[in-house]
Amino acid sequence: MKTLVSKEIRETIKLAVLGALCLTAMLVLSYYNFSAQMRELLLGETDLRFPLQPLTGPEMRQNLMFFCVIFGGLLGWLQGHHDRQQGLWGFLLHRPVTLVTLFLAKTIAGLSLYALAAGLPLLVYITWAITPGHVAAPYESAMLLPVLAFFLFGLPFYFAGMLVGLRPVRWFGSRLIPIGAAIVIAACATVLPEFWQALLWLAAGTATLAVACAGSFHPQDGPAGRPAASGLATALALAAGWCLVFLVAGVMLGDVLGRSLPGRSWFYYVTGKDGMIYRVTRSSPGRTQITDLKDQVVLDPETHGPISVSGLQSRSSPSETVFTGSISERRSARWWSQAFAGNHQYRATPGAVWFYLPKLGRLAAYDTVTRRFSGTLGPEGFATNLAGSGAHFSGIRGDVFTTPETLYRVNVYERIVRPWFAVPAGEGPLLGVGQLHDREGLDHTIAATSNTVYIIHPDGGVEGSTPYQPSHPQYPVVRVCKLEPAGRFAIWFEPGFQTNQAAGFTLPARVQWINGAEQEASVELPVANRPSTASLDPEQIALAIVLPPLALEPLRWISGDPHFPAWKDWLQVSLPVTILIALPTGLWWMRRYRLARQTQLAWGFFLVLGGFPALLALFTARGWPARVPCPACRRRRVVNRGQCEHCGARFPGPARQGIEIFESEALVAVGSGPSEQAGVAPPSMH
């Protein structure tokens, strides 16, 4: 084992050194950007161009992720490819060690080099970033979770690369398909809501690829064959890779069909500056029609023809949407990979940088000279400790800080906090706050309670208000549009998606026009962008045909699209295609090669779940022997069996050419027969 590990390290040490140098250069560049920005802050610059906490910088994380997946894949591929190219594979297989030992030696050497090349520079960088006095920004241990996950992304790519190097198939065939499986594993991990779920998914995916790699060390047609676990892991890895291929192909095919075939249409509303509501209807081939609420085509006053989308945009009013519902109704998850994106940087002042800490609910200041914490701002004012007197903000929206009953303005230059708007008695707590930015640079604030929606002028006075009707639980979306002349607004009340879905998408949206506190008019409209009850559109049909039933629901979850068709809608297309095409084709192929009944049942179940990707995994997961005509029954038979699977006839021996030398029939065994006992040498075989 020690000798084999040393051999692998000697052969791949150059790539590991090169990878360590590349990662070090990227981290040094990140440090340089941080240092340059700190020098600008010391000189009085207040523009925060980069995150001051390097661990949360999106550029650093993106570079780290791409480095780990590329370096891990190249390292694994090199270990398998080197032995194949140098002719060492046959030599290694005949050494007095087990195949498991060969696999473990390669894995131990490869993962050790990966940990040193990628982990050591990263560890030094993290140590510098979390040491007090080095970075003028807050640090939480959870900031390391995305960094750790992106480092672990290299493991599935390492085994996928090794599988690419070991599999004796053509490059233009299924050689690169395991890389697709690693991409699927990493992509799914990034959208999981909790880190432990991503870690568990990465562990399962990496273990599957590792077992598939271990199976590749077994000869394809060896007497013992591959273990069942290795065959299953290889099939899963290839099916996942083919799923990615079919997903790309389905999207491209759906795009072509969507441009050429009439598909499902959808519509949305645009509110004009004059308060008029326009309905924009789009269809799949790219056709757009703009009408008013009476279904009359809107004309462009300049061209006297139908108005275009760009022309409509110049007429549209500035708007702001406030959400007052729960997180589940919002249909958005705070993923672990985005938990600290942007680093919550609020503003830079001479001598300090301010960060909003959501968990603490306060603004924290860090000195730009000492790069250490200097104090916090809360509703009661400035304090030199983190918690202050215990008072805290419940959220931030633009420049407005909120508590359940009050809006605050914060002056970080003078470290002053002043109440700006208080909810009237009996109105209940604030459910949502937003800022409406118009073209004149005025920022109106939208504050919604369970009873009233307030529109607050930048100076703090209430410029408009209207009752919150329909009520909050069923209508959690409030959209405010600023109209002309000043003081007029159009307020949209829209139902939540889950609530409307449960009602069969029959709940309408309500629009209320107000002028100050006076209500001018109101109207109820069908909710825009609601899913059609008709069949799937061409793009979705293309995906349903090529993707297996097992992948459709995860695809709905990963996409995050609330209008993604339901499971039963997908199955209406996917399941018949799978049962009528993929399953019969796979069973015919297996019967053609006379696989065991248990093997056919297992693959049949896998084909029902996996569809076309599973079918291609069946074709590429194992080597299929050649078939030649049987001399007895004339039917085609496989060449790796001693007897014909159709008639039971044995293969005939090779035709004699008259130069063969055969052993004497009287000699039973060389070295044990009577002739040897009598001192007679056995007949020569050459």
Side-chain angles (χ1 to χ4, degrees):
M1 172 72 77
K2 183 178 179 180
T3 303
L4 291 173
V5 172
S6 301
K7 163 192 169 295
E8 295 294 332
I9 292 178
R10 287 195 305 269
E11 293 175 348
T12 53
I13 188 66
K14 294 181 180 179
L15 178 61
V17 172
L18 180 61
L21 293 177
C22 292
L23 180 58
T24 302
M26 291 192 305
L27 297 179
V28 169
L29 179 61
S30 176
Y31 171 78
Y32 174 79
N33 292 335
F34 167 80
S35 300
Q37 184 162 244
M38 289 303 303
R39 288 193 297 268
E40 294 175 357
L41 292 176
L42 289 174
L43 295 175
E45 178 66 41
T46 59
D47 182 22
L48 298 175
R49 296 182 293 107
F50 301 101
L52 287 180
Q53 176 51 267
L55 297 178
T56 62
E59 183 178 355
M60 179 266 179
R61 290 185 179 182
Q62 182 179 6
N63 292 339
L64 175 64
M65 181 183 67
F66 279 109
F67 169 81
C68 289
V69 299
I70 293 175
F71 176 65
L74 286 177
L75 188 62
W77 171 79
L78 183 62
Q79 286 188 279
H81 178 72
H82 185 271
D83 291 343
R84 293 285 186 183
Q85 291 297 106
Q86 301 297 328
L88 296 177
W89 190 242
F91 174 79
L92 292 174
L93 289 180
H94 290 82
R95 295 303 89 200
V97 293
T98 63
L99 299 177
V100 175
T101 303
L102 290 176
F103 170 72
L104 291 178
K106 283 185 176 291
T107 302
I108 292 173
L111 294 183
S112 299
L113 290 176
Y114 176 81
L116 290 175
L120 190 58
L122 191 59
L123 182 62
V124 173
Y125 186 79
I126 292 174
T127 303
W128 164 79
I130 68 177
T131 301
H134 288 174
V135 176
Y139 164 73
E140 297 181 36
S141 58
M143 294 179 181
L144 295 178
L145 298 183
V147 177
L148 174 61
F150 295 152
F151 172 78
L152 295 178
F153 277 5
L155 300 185
F157 279 88
Y158 167 78
F159 287 109
M162 182 184 292
L163 196 57
V164 169
L166 289 174
R167 296 183 68 234
V169 294
R170 295 180 176 88
W171 287 103
F172 55 84
S174 62
R175 189 76 173 269
L176 298 177
I177 292 301
I179 298 296
I183 294 175
V184 171
I185 294 172
C188 292
T190 57
V191 299
L192 289 170
E194 300 293 339
F195 178 74
W196 66 267
Q197 297 173 344
L199 200 62
L200 186 62
W201 172 259
L202 280 174
T206 303
T208 300
L209 289 173
V211 174
C213 283
S216 297
F217 280 76
H218 290 264
Q220 185 73 11
D221 299 319
R226 294 183 180 179
S230 298
L232 176 61
T234 303
L236 290 175
L238 293 176
W242 284 117
C243 273
L244 181 63
V245 173
F246 276 104
L247 176 61
V248 175
V251 170
M252 296 175 62
L253 177 61
D255 183 66
V256 173
L257 294 177
R259 294 176 183 272
S260 58
L261 299 177
R264 185 179 58 184
S265 62
W266 69 98
F267 68 93
Y268 59 92
Y269 297 107
V270 174
T271 305
K273 292 182 290 185
D274 57 354
M276 182 176 178
I277 297 178
Y278 303 92
R279 175 169 171 159
V280 182
T281 304
R282 292 179 177 268
S283 56
S284 296
R287 293 186 294 269
T288 303
Q289 186 180 32
I290 301 175
T291 61
D292 57 18
L293 296 183
K294 298 180 180 179
D295 289 333
Q296 299 295 323
V297 176
V298 179
L299 301 179
D300 192 325
E302 297 181 359
T303 63
H304 303 288
I307 192 172
S308 63
V309 175
S310 59
L312 181 62
Q313 290 177 351
S314 62
R315 293 189 180 187
S316 63
S317 63
S319 63
E320 171 67 8
T321 300
V322 177
F323 187 82
T324 63
S326 62
I327 294 297
S328 59
E329 188 69 33
R330 192 192 300 254
R331 308 183 312 274
S332 64
R334 192 170 181 80
W335 297 333
W336 58 268
S337 59
Q338 299 179 352
F340 295 93
N343 205 24
H344 309 290
Q345 294 179 173
Y346 176 64
R347 188 163 296 170
T349 60
V353 184
W354 295 84
F355 299 84
Y356 178 70
L357 309 180
K359 291 185 178 180
L360 195 62
R362 299 174 67 86
L363 275 170
Y366 284 78
D367 192 276
T368 55
V369 177
T370 63
R371 301 183 183 181
R372 293 180 181 272
F373 167 78
S374 60
T376 59
L377 270 174
E380 84 291 351
F382 184 78
T384 56
N385 59 350
L386 280 173
S389 63
H392 61 276
F393 300 115
S394 58
I396 178 176
R397 187 74 178 197
D399 292 332
V400 178
F401 294 81
T402 67
T403 62
E405 294 82 18
T406 310
L407 301 182
Y408 292 86
R409 290 283 192 181
V410 176
N411 186 343
V412 293
Y413 292 90
E414 300 179 4
R415 302 186 177 185
I416 296 176
V417 180
R418 64 181 180 88
W420 182 54
F421 172 79
V423 177
E427 285 288 333
L430 287 169
L431 300 178
V433 177
Q435 279 196 320
L436 175 57
H437 307 278
D438 59 15
R439 297 179 177 89
E440 288 75 24
L442 296 177
D443 296 337
H444 289 77
T445 301
I446 315 301
T449 68
S450 58
N451 298 324
T452 310
V453 176
Y454 295 94
I455 304 173
I456 308 168
H457 194 269
D459 62 6
V462 177
E463 187 169 351
S465 63
T466 186
Y468 196 150
Q469 294 177 356
S471 59
H472 148 66
Q474 287 189 324
Y475 283 74
V477 181
V478 179
R479 180 156 53 96
V480 179
C481 304
K482 184 179 180 181
L483 309 179
E484 295 178 354
R488 296 182 65 241
F489 299 90
I491 304 178
W492 292 71
F493 298 94
E494 298 177 305
F497 178 83
Q498 294 180 357
T499 304
N500 210 5
Q501 185 182 43
F505 296 98
T506 58
L507 298 179
R510 181 175 178 269
V511 187
Q512 177 72 53
W513 287 269
I514 64 172
N515 188 352
E518 298 180 1
Q519 300 184 11
E520 294 182 344
S522 63
V523 67
E524 290 187 351
L525 301 172
V527 176
N529 295 328
R530 58 180 179 178
S532 173
T533 57
S535 58
L536 304 179
D537 58 28
E539 295 94 333
Q540 296 166 346
I541 291 176
L543 286 177
I545 290 175
V546 298
L547 288 181
L550 189 63
L552 295 177
E553 189 65 18
L555 184 63
R556 169 192 175 94
W557 171 64
I558 291 173
S559 68
D561 184 5
H563 305 297
F564 202 84
W567 171 264
K568 60 180 181 180
D569 298 327
W570 284 108
L571 287 185
Q572 291 177 0
V573 178
S574 178
L575 193 58
V577 171
T578 297
I579 294 178
L580 297 178
I581 300 178
L583 180 60
T585 303
L587 293 178
W588 168 79
W589 186 265
M590 289 184 289
R591 289 179 60 85
R592 186 170 182 253
Y593 286 92
R594 292 300 190 271
L595 296 187
R597 184 176 298 273
Q598 295 82 354
T599 304
Q600 294 188 35
L601 290 176
W603 273 105
F605 178 74
F606 188 53
L607 288 170
V608 172
L609 297 178
F612 285 112
L615 180 63
L616 288 185
L618 170 65
F619 293 156
T620 56
R622 55 191 302 159
W624 300 100
R627 300 171 72 242
V628 298
C630 174
C633 64
R634 311 306 301 173
R635 300 174 66 181
R636 300 186 69 85
R637 53 174 293 185
V638 294
V639 298
N640 62 341
R641 294 184 180 181
Q643 295 180 340
C644 175
E645 60 268 24
H646 305 291
C647 63
R650 298 185 62 84
F651 261 116
R656 296 187 181 183
Q657 300 179 359
I659 60 175
E660 296 82 6
I661 300 177
F662 298 96
E663 185 179 19
S664 173
E665 296 181 359
L667 188 61
V668 178
V670 176
S672 61
S675 58
E676 187 180 49
Q677 297 175 2
V680 180
S684 174
M685 301 297 294
H686 301 282

